[in-house]
Amino acid sequence: DSGVTQTPKHLITATGQRVTLRCSPRSGDLSVYWYQQSLDQGLQFLIQYYNGEERAKGNILERFSAQQFPDLHSELNLSSLELGDSALYFCASSVAVFGTDTQYFGPGTRLTVL
Amino acid sequence: AQRVTQPEKLLSVFKGAPVELKCNYSYSGSPELFWYVQYSRQRLQLLLRHISRESIKGFTADLNKGETSFHLKKPFAQEEDSAMYYCGLRGSTLGRLYFGRGTQLTVWP
């Protein structure tokens, strides 16, 4: 499968803990986007990386951070987790940093904070 | 500020009936509009984008700049169209997408 992949598929943890979500973009894509999908907030943009550099920030909490590595995979780190952080976290990738190219989404990581 | 509004959270139609999912947007420049579809527990898939003006799975959407709308239409709904539909907007300089809250479409047999 040459599409966007995300691991793990499901994650269950406790409040106060820290987790790392991983995303591998499509082959050839340099941009990675992270989105959070929750019942009350809908689908919200968190952060974008392009070729290892942060390019845009959205509604990302200070407890959250991300990075993109030289092999272009990206990790989203969520710390001091709260119940309200329970959500589906999607990663998307595209070829360019902006423009008219399409964003392709991964299957998501479902985070449950107990 | 940019905003995407999908006024209907839930929409139900019978198989064979026409369906229209509404999307209104607010953006000061020239946005690019998209429709993404999410079938049960699956990833978001691009359904169509206004610049390509193509029809996917029988769905069409026309950008109406005067009414700032990008409604999704299909003349004859099918049961397999049941899914969550998200309208998205991308500004002229950034890659990030702004999404509406989504409309859950159910097509009854």
Side-chain angles (χ1 to χ4, degrees), chain A residues 14-17 61 63 79-86 111 113-114:
Chain A
T15 55
Q17 295 299 305
L61 300 170
R63 301 182 285 108
S79 61
S80 303
L81 285 167
E82 302 175 359
L83 296 177
D85 297 328
S86 295
L111 173 66
V113 182
L114 301 174

Side-chain angles (χ1 to χ4, degrees), chain A residues 4 33 35 37 39-43 45 57-58 88 90 97-103 105-107 110, chain B residues 9 32 34 36 38 41-46 49 51 84 86 90 92-97 99-101:
Chain A
V4 181
Y33 308 79
Y35 294 87
Q37 184 182 38
L39 283 174
D40 53 341
Q41 296 292 325
L43 199 52
F45 167 74
K57 243 179 178 176
L88 194 51
F90 284 109
V97 61
F98 55 77
T100 57
D101 62 326
T102 298
Q103 285 185 31
F105 281 76
R110 184 170 294 280
Chain B
K9 201 172 178 180
E32 188 179 359
F34 299 81
Y36 277 83
Q38 185 181 30
R41 294 188 170 275
Q42 293 186 23
R43 69 183 72 197
L44 273 79
Q45 302 172 37
L46 178 67
R49 49 197 296 191
I51 62 169
M84 179 70 92
Y86 288 96
R90 179 162 65 194
S92 54
T93 56
L94 293 176
R96 59 165 294 180
L97 288 165
F99 286 100
R101 296 297 294 269

Side-chain angles (χ1 to χ4, degrees), chain A residues 16-110:
Chain A
Q17 295 299 305
R18 173 190 169 93
V19 296
T20 297
L21 313 182
R22 183 190 169 102
C23 166
S24 292
R26 293 187 324 149
S27 177
D29 285 359
L30 299 178
S31 261
V32 168
Y33 308 79
W34 285 97
Y35 294 87
Q36 179 194 57
Q37 184 182 38
S38 61
L39 283 174
D40 53 341
Q41 296 292 325
L43 199 52
Q44 299 268 322
F45 167 74
L46 295 177
I47 197 164
Q48 177 198 1
Y49 277 82
Y50 175 75
N51 205 18
E53 292 188 9
E54 182 185 302
R55 293 304 299 224
K57 243 179 178 176
N59 301 324
I60 187 166
L61 300 170
E62 283 190 16
R63 301 182 285 108
F64 296 0
S65 65
Q67 54 184 324
Q68 188 179 26
F69 295 86
D71 66 352
L72 300 176
H73 91 270
S74 178
E75 291 182 357
L76 179 67
N77 301 296
L78 316 176
S79 61
S80 303
L81 285 167
E82 302 175 359
L83 296 177
D85 297 328
S86 295
L88 194 51
Y89 291 83
F90 284 109
C91 165
S93 74
S94 68
V95 173
V97 61
F98 55 77
T100 57
D101 62 326
T102 298
Q103 285 185 31
Y104 294 90
F105 281 76
T109 292
R110 184 170 294 280

Side-chain angles (χ1 to χ4, degrees), chain B residues 7 11-12 15-16 24 27-28 31 37 40 91 94 96-97 101 108:
Chain B
L11 185 62
S12 293
K15 176 183 171 181
N24 290 90
Y27 186 72
S28 56
V37 61
S40 180
L94 293 176
R96 59 165 294 180
L97 288 165
R101 296 297 294 269
W108 300 104

Side-chain angles (χ1 to χ4, degrees), chain B residues 7 21-22 27 32 35-36 48 59-60 67 70-71 82 89-90 98 100-101:
Chain B
L21 292 86
K22 291 185 168 52
Y27 186 72
E32 188 179 359
W35 276 100
Y36 277 83
L48 50 80
F59 285 98
T60 59
E67 295 182 0
F70 188 57
H71 303 327
S82 295
L89 175 154
R90 179 162 65 194
Y98 298 90
R101 296 297 294 269

